[in-house]
C-alpha cells in the first residue's frame, strides 16, 4: 500500500512533513461547514462517497481547533460520524508559562457596587487544556502580596467554582502532579460560564483596587480545541487574552492516523423510534442500521421509563441486511422514556459501540402522546428528562449556557436525537420559566429542516415564535426569518 496526501500546496507540505507521498497542487477547497466528497476511479466511477460535518456528533475539535479529521479505522463505514475522530496532538504539546502585569482600571461602565475580589479564567470557545500554578500578585515589586488560594490544585478544586460551559473541568494528575483539566463546551462569559475563585490574603477577601498593579501568571498545556484563554479580574479591571502554544505540526499526514484503532466496533446510524409520538399503551419500535466489517454478533436496546433504572431488550435483524429493531413496551400517556443502543461486532476480540455515544448520559428520548399538540399549525416538541428540565431552571444557574440533552420532534414525525438546549436571554428574562427564551442546537448531520444548526424561541401567549438566524451569503448580509409554531416543552413539573 502507498499513502498519498492531496495538498493545495505540495511544496509547503513537503517542507513541513518531509518524506511523505504528496500529490497536488489541488485547486479546489473544502468547506469549513461540511460538504459531500466523492472519490472516482480511473474510469470515472464512484469508489467512495461521504458527507462530513463540522459539529457534534462529528468531532468538534476538527472544526478549526487545530486538529484534522481522521478515520479511526479504514474498514469502517466512513459515512457515519462515529468512524471519525479529531487528530490528537496533545503528546506533542508542552507546558508553557504565561504572565502579564497590568494596572487595574475602572471600566467605562461599572455597577454601583464595589469591592469585587474575583479572578476569572476561561476559553473563548470549546476546548481543553491543563492548568497549574495560578498566581495573582498584588503590587509586584512592592508589597508583592500573593492573593491566590489553591493555585496549585493540591486541595483538588477547593476554593474554585467551575461554572456553566466550564463545569466539566476537574482536577487530574499529570506526571504525578495535581492540575486542573479545563474542559470548555463553549465560550466563557462574564457570568456563570467560567472558572472563578476569590482573592484572599490572611484568610480575608481582598478587593481589586483601581490604580494598583497586579501580575497574573499560570502554567498551561493546550490539549485540543480553542487556544484562546482569557484571564481577568472581575468587571475587567485587569484583563488579557492569551493564545496558548500549539504543536507546530498538527495531524499525521502520510502516517498512521493518531486515532487509529484496530477494531472500533460497529457503526450505528438511521436510528428512529416508530411512531414518533406513540399512543398510550402501544409498543414502541426502535430501528437502526448497524454495519461492521466483521459482522454484527448482537445488539441490545437499553431503555429507562420515567427516570427509572435501565432495562434491556434484545434487538433482531430484520429481512433487510443490516437493519435491526427492538421494542419498548407501551406506557401510559405523557410518560417519558430514554434509550440507547449497544451493538457488538463478530471479531475474535469483540468491540462494542453505543448510540448515542454517551449511552446513559445521552438523550435519545420518547414521550407518549399527552394531548398537547395542534393540528392547525406545526408542532415543535422538546423532550427532556425531568431532572434536566429542573436543572435548567435552577435559580442559582439561570445564566449558565452549558447545553443539556434533549430530543426534538417536529410535526409529530421528524425526530432529532441528542440535541443541546439552554436558556437564552438576560438575567431578567430567564427568571420567568414560562416566558424565557430557549436556544436548541441540532446535531450537525440532522439540522432543523436540513438547514439550520440551531433555532431560538420566545413566547407569545401560547404560541412560540421560532427565529432561525441565517446568513445570506449571496449578498454578504445578515438575515433572519420567523416561523410560528406550537411549542410542546417539558417543564419543571413535567
Amino acid at each position: 500500500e502507498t499513502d498519498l496526501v492531496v495538498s493545495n500546496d505540495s511544496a509547503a507540505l513537503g517542507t513541513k512533513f518531509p518524506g511523505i507521498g504528496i500529490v497536488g497542487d489541488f485547486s479546489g477547497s473544502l468547506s469549513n461547514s461540511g460538504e459531500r466528497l466523492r472519490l472516482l476511479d480511473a474510469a470515472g466511477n464512484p469508489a467512495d462517497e461521504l458527507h462530513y460535518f463540522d459539529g457534534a456528533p462529528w468531532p468538534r475539535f476538527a472544526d478549526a481547533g487545530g486538529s484534522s479529521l481522521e478515520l479511526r479505522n479504514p474498514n469502517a463505514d466512513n459515512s457515519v460520524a462515529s468512524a471519525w475522530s479529531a487528530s490528537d496532538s496533545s503528546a506533542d504539546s508542552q507546558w508553557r508559562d504565561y504572565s502579564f502585569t497590568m494596572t487595574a482600571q475602572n471600566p467605562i461602565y461599572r455597577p454601583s457596587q464595589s469591592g469585587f475580589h474575583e479572578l476569572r479564567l476561561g476559553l473563548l470557545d470549546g476546548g481543553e487544556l491543563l492548568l497549574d500554578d495560578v498566581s495573582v500578585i498584588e503590587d509586584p515589586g512592592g508589597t508583592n502580596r500573593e492573593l491566590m488560594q489553591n493555585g496549585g490544585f493540591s486541595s483538588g478544586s477547593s476554593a474554585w467554582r467551575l461554572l456553566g460551559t466550564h463545569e466539566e473541568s476537574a482536577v487530574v494528575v499529570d506526571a504525578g502532579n495535581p492540575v486542573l483539566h479545563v474542559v470548555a463546551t463553549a465560550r466563557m462569559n462574564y457570568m456563570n460560564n467560567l472558572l472563578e475563585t476569590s482573592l484572599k490574603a490572611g484568610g480575608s477577601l481582598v478587593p481589586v483596587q483601581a490604580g494598583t498593579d497586579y501580575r497574573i501568571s499560570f502554567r498551561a498545556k493546550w490539549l485540543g480545541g480553542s487556544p484562546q484563554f482569557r484571564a481577568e479580574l472581575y468587571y475587567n479591571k485587569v484583563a488579557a487574552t492569551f493564545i496558548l502554544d500549539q504543536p507546530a505540526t498538527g495531524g499525521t499526514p502520510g502516517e498512521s492516523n493518531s486515532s487509529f484503532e484496530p477494531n472500533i466496533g460497529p457503526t450505528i446510524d438511521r436510528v428512529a423510534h416508530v411512531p414518533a409520538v406513540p399512543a398510550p399503551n402501544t409498543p414502541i419500535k426502535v430501528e437502526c442500521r448497524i454495519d461492521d466489517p466483521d459482522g454484527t454478533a448482537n445488539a441490545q436496546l437499553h431503555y429507562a421509563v420515567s427516570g427509572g433504572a435501565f432495562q434491556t431488550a434484545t434487538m433482531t435483524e430484520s429481512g433487510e441486511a443490516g437493519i435491526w429493531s427492538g421494542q419498548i413496551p407501551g406506557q401510559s400517556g405523557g410518560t417519558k422514556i430514554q434509550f440507547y443502543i449497544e451493538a457488538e461486532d463478530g471479531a475474535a476480540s469483540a468491540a462494542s459501540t453505543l448510540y448515542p455515544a454517551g449511552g446513559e448520559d445521552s438523550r435519545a428520548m420518547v414521550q407518549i402522546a399527552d394531548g398537547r399538540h395542534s393540528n392547525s399549525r406545526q408542532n415543535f416538541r422538546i423532550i427532556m428528562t425531568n431532572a434536566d428540565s429542573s436543572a435548567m431552571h435552577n435559580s442559582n444557574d439561570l445564566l449558565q449556557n452549558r447545553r443539556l440533552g434533549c430530543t426534538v420532534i417536529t410535526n409529530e414525525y421528524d425526530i432529532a436525537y441528542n440535541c443541546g438546549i439552554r436558556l437564552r436571554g438576560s438575567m431578567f428574562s430567564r427568571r420567568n420559566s414560562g416566558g424565557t427564551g430557549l436556544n436548541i442546537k441540532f446535531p450537525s448531520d440532522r439540522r432543523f429542516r436540513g438547514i439550520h444548526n440551531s433555532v431560538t424561541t420566545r413566547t407569545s401567549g401560547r404560541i412560540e415564535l421560532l427565529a432561525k438566524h441565517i446568513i445570506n451569503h449571496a449578498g454578504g448580509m445578515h438575515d433572519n426569518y420567523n416561523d410560528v409554531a406550537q411549542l410542546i416543552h417539558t417543564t419543571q413539573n413535567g
Side-chain angles (χ1 to χ4, degrees):
E1 294 183 1
T2 301
D3 293 324
L4 291 178
V5 180
V6 180
S7 173
N8 62 353
D9 189 337
S10 56
L13 186 66
T15 300
K16 193 171 185 179
F17 296 94
I20 65 174
I22 303 174
V23 294
D25 294 341
F26 176 56
S27 60
S29 62
L30 299 179
S31 170
N32 289 331
S33 59
E35 66 178 317
R36 187 172 300 279
L37 301 179
R38 179 178 294 166
L39 181 66
L40 305 180
D41 63 17
N45 299 312
D48 198 2
E49 184 175 349
L50 68 94
H51 193 148
Y52 70 90
F53 296 87
D54 69 339
W58 287 72
R60 61 189 179 117
F61 288 168
D63 182 21
S67 300
S68 58
L69 189 63
E70 295 184 341
L71 193 60
R72 297 167 60 202
N73 186 290
N75 297 316
D77 182 352
N78 62 13
S79 68
V80 182
S82 62
W84 295 86
S85 181
S87 63
D88 182 4
S89 302
S90 60
D92 297 325
S93 188
Q94 302 294 319
W95 282 97
R96 295 285 186 266
D97 294 320
Y98 300 88
S99 179
F100 75 103
T101 300
M102 185 178 292
T103 303
Q105 300 182 25
N106 286 324
I108 295 175
Y109 169 76
R110 56 194 174 100
S112 58
Q113 307 99 312
S114 61
F116 292 112
H117 39 65
E118 286 81 22
L119 168 69
R120 295 176 155 196
L121 305 171
L123 284 162
L124 298 188
D125 204 343
E128 296 185 25
L129 63 100
L130 297 181
L131 178 69
D132 197 10
D133 296 337
V134 183
S135 172
V136 177
I137 300 293
E138 180 187 57
D139 190 21
T143 59
N144 205 47
R145 183 165 63 158
E146 176 65 71
L147 304 182
M148 275 301 303
Q149 312 173 72
N150 193 28
F153 306 101
S154 59
S155 300
S157 59
S158 174
W160 288 88
R161 296 176 286 280
L162 316 177
L163 304 175
T165 57
H166 287 59
E167 73 175 43
E168 294 181 19
S169 304
V171 174
V172 299
V173 176
D174 178 70
N177 184 47
V179 300
L180 184 65
H181 179 196
V182 178
V183 178
T185 56
R187 67 180 179 88
M188 70 173 290
N189 66 19
Y190 91 108
M191 290 284 283
N192 292 74
N193 295 288
L194 37 67
L195 312 170
E196 182 181 74
T197 187
S198 299
L199 304 178
K200 280 189 174 183
S204 300
L205 294 170
V206 180
V208 179
Q209 302 291 338
T212 300
D213 289 344
Y214 293 86
R215 183 174 69 231
I216 298 176
S217 62
F218 56 89
R219 292 196 312 129
K221 178 182 178 181
W222 174 87
L223 298 180
S226 173
Q228 302 173 84
F229 191 65
R230 181 173 173 83
E232 64 184 43
L233 300 184
Y234 193 81
Y235 259 92
N236 295 330
K237 287 187 174 181
V238 172
T241 298
F242 298 87
I243 305 300
L244 304 181
D245 284 358
Q246 297 173 277
T249 56
T252 53
E255 301 176 4
S256 177
N257 288 340
S258 63
S259 60
F260 170 77
E261 299 176 47
N263 185 7
I264 68 171
T267 55
I268 305 172
D269 67 342
R270 301 183 192 175
V271 179
H273 65 270
V274 183
V277 184
N281 304 311
T282 302
I284 305 150
K285 184 179 182 181
V286 177
E287 287 186 326
C288 67
R289 185 184 71 141
I290 304 176
D291 181 81
D292 191 276
D294 296 308
T296 302
N298 62 77
Q300 296 178 319
L301 174 63
H302 303 278
Y303 64 94
V305 179
S306 301
F310 275 86
Q311 306 173 61
T312 300
T314 299
M315 302 184 76
T316 57
E317 193 170 13
S318 67
E320 184 180 351
I323 304 301
W324 293 69
S325 65
Q327 195 171 88
I328 299 173
Q331 306 291 329
S332 59
T335 300
K336 283 179 283 190
I337 305 164
Q338 180 187 353
F339 75 88
Y340 67 96
I341 296 166
E342 181 177 14
E344 184 179 68
D345 65 21
S349 54
S352 61
T353 304
L354 304 180
Y355 178 93
E360 293 187 12
D361 294 328
S362 59
R363 293 295 184 264
M365 304 287 298
V366 183
Q367 186 168 27
I368 310 303
D370 54 7
R372 294 189 300 164
H373 70 280
S374 170
N375 294 322
S376 61
R377 53 183 173 265
Q378 66 173 325
N379 298 316
F380 192 85
R381 184 182 292 270
I382 303 172
I383 310 172
M384 303 175 67
T385 66
N386 287 353
D388 284 347
S389 183
S390 295
M392 188 170 68
H393 291 286
N394 186 316
S395 59
N396 293 327
D397 296 318
L398 285 179
L399 288 175
Q400 70 97 356
N401 288 337
R402 182 177 66 90
R403 293 184 185 273
L404 300 173
C406 68
T407 289
V408 173
I409 301 177
T410 308
N411 290 337
E412 310 296 273
Y413 71 87
D414 192 6
I415 308 169
Y417 299 115
N418 225 34
C419 300
I421 186 171
R422 65 171 178 84
L423 298 180
R424 65 179 291 269
S426 70
M427 65 182 71
F428 305 105
S429 64
R430 293 192 188 198
R431 292 175 183 172
N432 178 5
S433 62
T436 186
L438 298 169
N439 180 278
I440 301 99
K441 189 171 185 178
F442 284 75
S444 61
D445 52 7
R446 197 72 178 83
R447 295 171 179 169
F448 182 64
R449 294 184 177 168
I451 300 173
H452 306 290
N453 290 321
S454 65
V455 300
T456 60
T457 74
R458 62 183 177 88
T459 304
S460 176
R462 294 186 60 196
I463 308 299
E464 291 291 325
L465 194 63
L466 298 180
K468 276 77 62 187
H469 299 282
I470 62 174
I471 296 176
N472 184 345
H473 292 284
M477 307 230 357
H478 294 279
D479 192 15
N480 71 276
Y481 68 91
N482 301 323
D483 274 353
V484 177
Q486 168 82 6
L487 182 72
I488 305 171
H489 177 225
T490 302
T491 66
Q492 288 175 270
N493 298 319

